[in-house]
Amino acid sequence: MSSSPAAVADDSPDLVCHLDSIHGMVDALTSVRWKRHQDVVLEISEHGIVVIVEESGCLQAKVYLKRELFVFYEYTAEGRPRFGMSLDLFVDGLNIFSALGPATVVEIRYPGPDMELVLKTVDFPNGSLYAAIRTRIPDTISWDYNFEPTGNVPISFTVKSAVLKETIEDLEWPGSSIQIVLQPDPPSVTLRGDGHGELQIDFPYYASTDLLIAFQCDRRIAYWYKYKFLRATTSNIPASVLKDNRGSKLTIGRGGMLKIQHLVSVGRPGAPHPHGDNFGQPSRIAYIEFYVKPEEDDTPINDS
């Protein structure tokens, strides 16, 4: 990343957008930052920006940044350009702009003069701050998450995000796996840690709807997942999500593919926005999705 007072070239960029909630964007991107020195692939389109992170062909995360999250969004490219970059530099670069104050608006432009992703202050009273982050041609995503529901009734449950994070941390065991079991009668979810003996955590649906917000299951199903991959899905949930007591949805698809969804608010409280009202700003939500493959030697139960 470099900074310079030089002006940004205006040679027909594919994307120019303005962001007025840098902190919210940092929260969303940090959600998929489970280790140092991660690379991401950005895909841009007329609908918004998708940020994709992958680990060892077993864990994939996506951050969906709809165009409604931005106060201005202009897209002129054909197709859906993709480019790779450092997630660390992207987050650190945005953090530099967030230090300028909550009212700061940042322009995101791609490509810059040398195919960089360009960040620049908009109408800043004390001059201009400019940063350019080097991009690269992305490697092909090495696996297709190919998420398909199992049967006619999707197997899913929604639990408070803070409870999910705490539960996974409580089942920690180096190099271990966690089994997730859903059964319809009585309706419940069990997370069982390998290496802990009899240690398991149960969520009976009717006994505690404050924790297990929603539940949908018509047959017993169970799969094992690597602990380190499950922990990555919750390790950096933003404090704002935990404070707001939001829920995270977990869905088990065909073959045991696990999808975990979080919602992160991207908007300045009280700030006017052309795509949503100021009460809750329903359109200004970033969708975070994780896809986790089950253990290869697992024997599925009732996966049909």
Side-chain angles (χ1 to χ4, degrees):
M1 184 175 66
S2 60
S3 59
S4 165
V8 182
D10 291 321
D11 296 335
S12 301
D14 293 338
L15 173 69
V16 177
C17 56
H18 294 172
L19 176 70
D20 69 343
S21 177
I22 307 168
H23 183 71
M25 177 74 83
V26 169
D27 275 353
L29 294 174
T30 301
S31 299
V32 298
R33 189 183 185 183
W34 57 77
K35 68 176 185 179
R36 293 181 59 83
H37 310 303
Q38 280 180 284
D39 288 332
V40 297
V41 172
L42 271 68
E43 179 181 281
I44 60 176
S45 72
E46 68 275 16
H47 304 296
I49 302 172
V50 181
V51 182
I52 307 169
V53 192
E54 186 181 296
E55 172 75 16
S56 305
C58 293
L59 172 65
Q60 189 179 88
K62 292 186 175 182
V63 181
Y64 294 91
L65 304 170
K66 301 183 301 178
R67 65 180 298 150
E68 289 82 9
L69 299 181
F70 303 89
V71 291
F72 173 79
Y73 193 93
E74 183 177 74
Y75 176 81
T76 59
E78 296 182 0
R80 297 190 172 192
R82 279 187 165 199
F83 56 92
M85 61 188 297
S86 165
L87 177 59
D88 290 343
L89 289 181
F90 194 14
V91 172
D92 293 346
L94 287 170
N95 271 325
I96 292 174
F97 287 87
S98 68
L100 300 178
T104 304
V105 177
V106 172
E107 178 180 280
I108 301 174
R109 178 182 295 249
Y110 177 82
D114 296 312
M115 299 304 293
E116 326 96 313
L117 183 75
V118 176
L119 307 176
K120 180 184 177 184
T121 51
V122 177
D123 298 329
F124 194 65
N126 299 319
S128 175
L129 181 65
Y130 164 92
I133 303 174
R134 185 176 300 168
T135 66
R136 59 172 177 79
I137 298 174
D139 298 327
T140 302
I141 298 298
S142 60
W143 64 282
D144 182 3
Y145 59 85
N146 193 29
F147 188 87
E148 298 178 3
T150 62
N152 296 323
V153 178
I155 306 298
S156 67
F157 65 96
T158 302
V159 63
K160 297 291 187 182
S161 300
V163 173
L164 178 64
K165 177 180 172 66
E166 182 179 350
T167 298
I168 293 176
E169 290 176 350
D170 286 346
L171 293 173
E172 180 177 8
W173 192 265
S176 71
S177 300
I178 293 179
Q179 187 183 42
I180 300 179
V181 182
L182 283 79
Q183 59 183 15
D185 188 21
S188 63
V189 177
T190 298
L191 278 75
R192 180 181 297 113
D194 178 24
H196 292 274
E198 297 300 320
L199 180 58
Q200 68 180 44
I201 298 174
D202 298 307
F203 296 120
Y205 181 44
Y206 294 129
S208 182
T209 54
D210 288 338
L211 298 179
L212 199 57
I213 307 168
F215 178 88
Q216 189 168 256
C217 177
D218 64 351
R219 61 196 179 280
R220 187 175 187 272
I221 193 167
Y223 282 96
W224 287 94
Y225 302 91
K226 279 291 186 185
Y227 172 80
K228 65 178 181 180
F229 295 141
L230 275 185
R231 188 177 188 278
T233 68
T234 61
S235 58
N236 282 314
I237 293 179
S240 59
V241 174
L242 303 180
K243 182 179 179 181
D244 292 343
N245 209 21
R246 291 185 183 157
S248 296
K249 183 177 181 180
L250 291 81
T251 307
I252 297 179
R254 189 173 301 278
M257 183 72 73
L258 176 65
K259 177 169 67 174
I260 300 179
Q261 299 168 292
H262 308 300
L263 303 179
V264 178
S265 177
V266 181
R268 277 195 298 126
H273 189 275
H275 302 297
D277 58 30
N278 291 330
F279 184 73
Q281 298 178 315
S283 68
R284 307 203 68 189
I285 296 292
Y287 294 83
I288 317 295
E289 292 186 348
F290 288 88
Y291 297 90
V292 186
K293 284 187 176 181
E295 294 280 73
E296 292 182 359
D297 59 351
D298 181 69
T299 302
I301 299 177
N302 289 341
D303 183 14
S304 60

